[in-house]
Amino acid sequence: MLKPLGDRVILDQPQEEEETVGGIVLASNAQEKPQTANVVAVGDGRVLDNGEKVAPSVKVGDKVLFDKYAGTEVKYQDKTYLVLHEKDLVAVVD
């Protein structure tokens, strides 16, 4: 498995919700990018200027909401993941 460095977080493929608007199904390229996904790996945390390490505020298994265009898509062993900084996460979804 991929191991993120520092304050980075790896998310599984973002969850797409298929919706219709007025009975019309939108093409996949016309739909907005999904903004929720599950955390599959978390880095050790970020290091402050004084050398102190801050632990990440999310853990593996959390479902999170993230900024629309945040992160980088990565393919690893035929799966697509999203790697982003913890600061790009907006909330943990209960």
Side-chain angles (χ1 to χ4, degrees), residues 44-63:
D44 295 332
R46 64 186 169 101
V47 178
L48 301 176
D49 292 336
N50 64 5
E52 184 180 335
K53 187 176 277 190
V54 178
S57 57
V58 295
K59 61 186 181 308
V60 174
D62 283 349
K63 183 176 181 180

Side-chain angles (χ1 to χ4, degrees), residues 30-73:
Q31 295 177 354
E32 288 191 15
K33 183 177 176 182
Q35 295 175 280
T36 59
N38 294 316
V39 176
V40 294
V42 179
D44 295 332
R46 64 186 169 101
V47 178
L48 301 176
D49 292 336
N50 64 5
E52 184 180 335
K53 187 176 277 190
V54 178
S57 57
V58 295
K59 61 186 181 308
V60 174
D62 283 349
K63 183 176 181 180
V64 294
L65 179 67
F66 56 92
D67 287 337
K68 185 177 273 189
Y69 297 105
T72 303
E73 283 191 3

Side-chain angles (χ1 to χ4, degrees), residues 4-9 43-47 54 56 84-87:
L5 300 175
D7 69 335
R8 288 181 176 82
V9 177
D44 295 332
R46 64 186 169 101
V47 178
V54 178
L84 49 96
H85 287 275
E86 185 181 20
K87 68 181 179 185

